[in-house]
Amino acid sequence: MRQERLKNFNDARFGMFIHWGLYAIPGRGEWVRYQEDIPPAEYAKLAEQFNPRHYDPRAWARIAREAGMRYMVLTAKHHDGFCLFDSEYTDFTSVRTAARRDFVAEYLDACRAEGLMAGLYFSVKDWSIPAYFRGPEADPSGWRECVDRFHQQTLELMSNYGPIDILFYDCADDADFRGGWGERTAEVWDSEALNAKVRQLQPGILINDRSGLPEDYATPEQTVPMEVPDDTRVYESCVTMNDNWGYAIGDGNWKSTDLLIRQLIACAARGSNYLLNVGPDPDGVIPAPSVERLREMGGWLSTYGEAVYGTERLLPNYFDFHSTGRITTKGSQAFLTLDQWSATGEIVIAQLANEVLAARLLPAGEELSVHREGRRVVITGLPVHPPARYVNVVELDLDGPARPQYHSH
């Protein structure tokens, strides 16, 4: 069952990451409390202002689905310790402060209603506990509170909300606080015992690698891997649309739709997932530039999704590149994604050992001429103008499962 769910998750390819919490009010990113050294009592006052007028997770889920995303992951608790769910272990929650709402419960209902896999992010660290900054050696009893809170609240999420598809732990290495006590280690957090309990409560859940244990899948951040370090592992690149995860009023450094599509394709070519972030504002509204890009990505995927969903990893690494784009494969099909349009009407690839039986330009499926010249497959007949605004796709029929071909020199 677990392997089947992992395959379904990996085939889904594209998900929405949602960073949202008290930090949306100052609007300077999710690390604002730490970076500006805001006193705990001052920061806690934000909870009495956090009462979003337009929080509608069903609208978020519809945007995700229209974008071609197939799962969502919400920050149930970020590093600041504020919980978007009810917890018996702290009053620092959305249920016990101004909003008086369990945002996690509403979010999970929305995911299920829209047919999306539902994921929860949970921060291992908790800045609301003073002992966290001192570490286990300087404050053993205080540290026990940190570990207990981490376990207790994780198990609350796993117990109180029905089936959860994905648990995305987060932590940062100990250099953030110069503590030197190995924050990432599973032993410090007693992660093995916790994850065993999580799997008892949620037998079908998938767990990422940020509790200090490898678990089901790896989560590189702000990068699309140039290579897959371990070809037996599932990878998921989590990436922002601008420079912040949380809402940042002054951050207008938005990635283009074209770049986002190309990053998604790069993940698909490596057999990896792409978790693209949005940072809703204090009222719960996803910023318009994010929505615009997501809808454009959804339009592209509605036409060319076969080149992304359920694709396979073509090993060894780097065999997914050709001179004008990438190669994705699925069974006895390959897809040439074209970042650049060929001015000569020709594409040449030398990455596949297969015989290419047919080539078609999507979306209409116009037949292209194809022949082999030794190690090179030559495809001709491309029109002068590309059919797609963004990345174009040529579909290939192969003589069997895709086989990489080593270069002769």
Side-chain angles (χ1 to χ4, degrees):
M1 177 181 178
R2 189 167 157 193
Q3 285 305 310
E4 181 182 349
R5 289 179 69 106
L6 186 60
K7 183 182 186 306
N8 290 339
F9 167 73
N10 197 204
D11 286 348
R13 283 288 175 260
F14 192 22
M16 176 184 280
F17 212 178
I18 306 162
H19 276 69
W20 189 58
L22 297 186
Y23 43 82
I25 295 175
R28 295 189 293 277
E30 72 290 346
W31 274 67
V32 64
R33 180 186 165 182
Y34 174 75
Q35 290 171 332
E36 299 183 11
D37 201 16
I38 300 173
E42 179 182 335
Y43 190 80
K45 291 178 182 177
L46 295 176
E48 295 305 333
Q49 302 174 42
F50 192 62
N51 189 10
R53 297 173 298 167
H54 303 301
Y55 175 66
D56 182 359
R58 190 76 182 268
W60 292 357
R62 283 193 291 266
I63 291 169
R65 191 166 45 76
E66 290 167 10
M69 293 162 157
R70 295 184 171 179
Y71 63 100
M72 300 173 73
V73 178
L74 171 68
T75 51
K77 187 205 78 174
H78 204 263
H79 309 328
D80 61 0
F82 184 72
C83 300
L84 299 182
F85 61 96
D86 197 13
S87 175
E88 65 176 281
Y89 302 103
T90 180
D91 291 331
F92 198 39
T93 77
S94 60
V95 178
R96 302 188 188 195
T97 53
R100 304 285 185 226
R101 292 169 68 180
D102 189 324
F103 294 122
V104 163
E106 296 178 42
Y107 154 81
L108 292 171
D109 287 344
C111 288
R112 293 161 185 154
E114 293 296 326
L116 298 168
M117 287 184 280
L120 294 174
Y121 163 115
F122 191 81
S123 174
V124 174
K125 65 176 66 177
D126 191 330
W127 296 336
S128 70
I129 303 175
Y132 170 78
F133 293 94
R134 295 190 285 270
E137 295 180 3
D139 187 354
S141 62
W143 184 256
R144 189 67 249 170
E145 180 188 359
C146 292
V147 175
D148 287 346
R149 181 82 61 85
F150 167 44
H151 285 226
Q152 290 159 348
Q153 291 185 330
T154 301
L155 295 177
E156 281 182 317
L157 288 170
M158 297 300 104
S159 301
N160 298 341
Y161 295 94
I164 309 295
D165 297 300
I166 301 158
L167 175 56
F168 188 113
Y169 289 122
D170 195 18
C171 63
D173 67 39
D174 55 3
D176 291 332
F177 305 105
R178 310 294 182 224
W181 36 263
E183 184 183 352
R184 281 191 183 272
T185 66
E187 292 77 16
V188 164
W189 294 104
D190 199 12
S191 299
E192 188 171 355
L194 174 59
N195 289 348
K197 294 175 185 175
V198 167
R199 293 194 189 280
Q200 286 177 348
L201 294 166
Q202 299 280 347
I205 201 164
L206 301 176
I207 303 175
N208 77 337
D209 61 341
R210 297 194 187 188
S211 66
L213 297 170
E215 294 296 349
D216 295 304
Y217 68 103
T219 50
E221 183 169 313
Q222 293 290 41
T223 183
V224 175
M226 289 295 290
E227 61 182 76
V228 178
D230 179 352
D231 62 23
T232 68
R233 294 277 281 158
V234 169
Y235 289 82
E236 175 191 64
S237 291
C238 49
V239 176
T240 56
M241 283 201 202
N242 53 7
D243 291 333
N244 286 268
W245 298 96
Y247 181 63
I249 300 169
D251 183 359
N253 190 27
W254 298 98
K255 296 178 177 72
S256 69
T257 301
D258 183 66
L259 175 59
L260 296 173
I261 291 172
R262 286 189 283 115
Q263 287 188 339
L264 171 61
I265 292 167
C267 286
R270 293 288 152 90
S272 301
N273 283 23
Y274 188 55
L275 185 62
L276 185 58
N277 184 73
V278 297
D281 69 16
D283 279 331
V285 178
I286 297 174
S290 294
V291 175
E292 176 186 359
R293 285 157 176 77
L294 289 172
R295 287 185 171 146
E296 289 171 343
M297 294 180 79
W300 186 88
L301 280 165
S302 68
T303 301
Y304 300 108
E306 280 296 302
V308 170
Y309 301 120
T311 51
E312 299 154 355
R313 187 173 287 158
L314 182 63
L315 294 173
N317 288 308
Y318 299 108
F319 277 72
D320 56 294
F321 283 103
H322 62 93
S323 57
T324 57
R326 297 269 191 165
I327 302 172
T328 66
T329 64
K330 186 188 306 180
S332 59
Q333 286 186 305
F335 301 90
L336 307 182
T337 63
L338 310 179
D339 301 344
Q340 310 159 36
W341 190 246
S342 172
T344 63
E346 177 183 87
I347 305 168
V348 179
I349 61 170
Q351 289 77 11
L352 294 174
N354 301 75
E355 291 301 320
V356 177
L357 306 179
R360 292 176 293 276
L361 177 62
L362 301 182
E366 299 97 331
E367 292 287 336
L368 303 174
S369 298
V370 57
H371 67 277
R372 181 174 283 279
E373 298 176 358
R375 300 172 58 83
R376 304 163 74 234
V377 174
V378 181
I379 300 164
T380 59
L382 291 170
V384 174
H385 300 293
R389 176 183 175 187
Y390 300 115
V391 178
N392 285 271
V393 179
V394 170
E395 180 182 37
L396 307 180
D397 291 338
L398 309 178
D399 63 353
R403 305 188 308 278
Q405 174 175 252
Y406 289 91
H407 287 271
S408 57
H409 56 276

